[in-house]
Amino acid sequence: MIAAPDRTPLPRRFFDRPVLEVAPDLLGRILVRHTHTPDGPIELRLTEVEAYAGPADPGSHAYRGRTERNAVMFGPPGHAYVYFTYGMWHCMNLVCGPAGSASGVLLRAGEILSGHERAHKHRPTARNDRELAKGPARLATALGIDRHLNGVDVCAGPRSPMEILTGAPAPADQVLSGPRTGVGGEGATHPWRFWIDGDPTVSPYRAHTPRRRSSDAPSDGT
DNA sequence: GCCCGGATAGCCT
DNA sequence: GGCTATCCGGGCA
């Protein structure tokens, strides 16, 4: 018999710790997307995350310091840093550590627990429930997360658009780690991606693929 | 199942 | 102007 997940909100102090402690501890927690409509929220159990360790981390958006785009990462913990990437997609991070440390955890994948119908409406190409949030941009899309939610406090209670509940943290022996996805150079060396062993919603690993420059393409010969 | 390339726009140098 | 913390569809096995 499985105990029901704990629906107590995670307190801000949960996030005010070193990012490499917080990241694996987020697995099994519940992200609630409150839409404040009669349908109720969309809920997701986190199964895969990645740590980004502040201005010293070459893989981080905080590398080379604070800009308008990454300002939320430099703020207090327990807030959502949502950014737009590849001209099409949104991804969501949770800011960790004391204000100014500019570290965060990218939410890479999860299992939709409720609100499946609306999640499929947001992600019509998903062929089954497992694919709804298998990948960071898919996760954001399925939950209706975009730049409007950048800076949202996830420790501010159920009237906020997003909240994190205690859930059922994954036991340490079920947590695996490996290199981060899509991060090249020195940033690729650390095993700062964490996932729940064997979970079908974990996104497939993809090594960093450098883009071929358009000048390398065949030309008219001029 | 896999490998590959195109899409698309904001951000930063 | 080059790059990006990505996804999707098509081709092939």
Side-chain angles (χ1 to χ4, degrees), chain A residues 95-157:
Chain A
V95 178
C96 296
S101 58
S103 57
V105 178
L106 171 69
L107 308 185
R108 288 199 55 89
E111 173 196 2
I112 300 285
L113 301 176
S114 66
H116 296 84
E117 192 178 330
R118 263 170 307 150
H120 276 287
K121 224 175 245 180
H122 292 151
R123 289 233 331 109
T125 57
R127 299 201 282 187
N128 53 55
D129 289 353
R130 295 191 321 274
E131 288 184 356
L132 281 172
K134 187 177 192 157
R138 293 168 170 184
L139 184 155
T141 303
L143 269 59
I145 293 168
D146 63 23
R147 279 211 62 152
H148 295 116
L149 299 184
N150 186 37
V152 160
D153 185 352
V154 301
C155 304

Side-chain angles (χ1 to χ4, degrees), chain A residues 26-27 31 44-52 83 90-94 105-111 130-140 178-183 192-195 201-207:
Chain A
L26 276 167
L27 297 173
L31 169 61
L44 170 132
R45 170 179 163 262
L46 291 169
T47 59
E48 182 187 358
V49 298
E50 258 173 22
Y52 287 85
Y83 66 90
H90 297 271
C91 293
M92 172 172 165
N93 298 252
L94 292 169
V105 178
L106 171 69
L107 308 185
R108 288 199 55 89
E111 173 196 2
R130 295 191 321 274
E131 288 184 356
L132 281 172
K134 187 177 192 157
R138 293 168 170 184
L139 184 155
R180 291 179 295 190
T181 307
V183 175
W192 288 350
R193 171 178 170 251
F194 303 92
W195 66 94
T201 63
V202 172
S203 61
Y205 175 72
R206 285 251 208 282

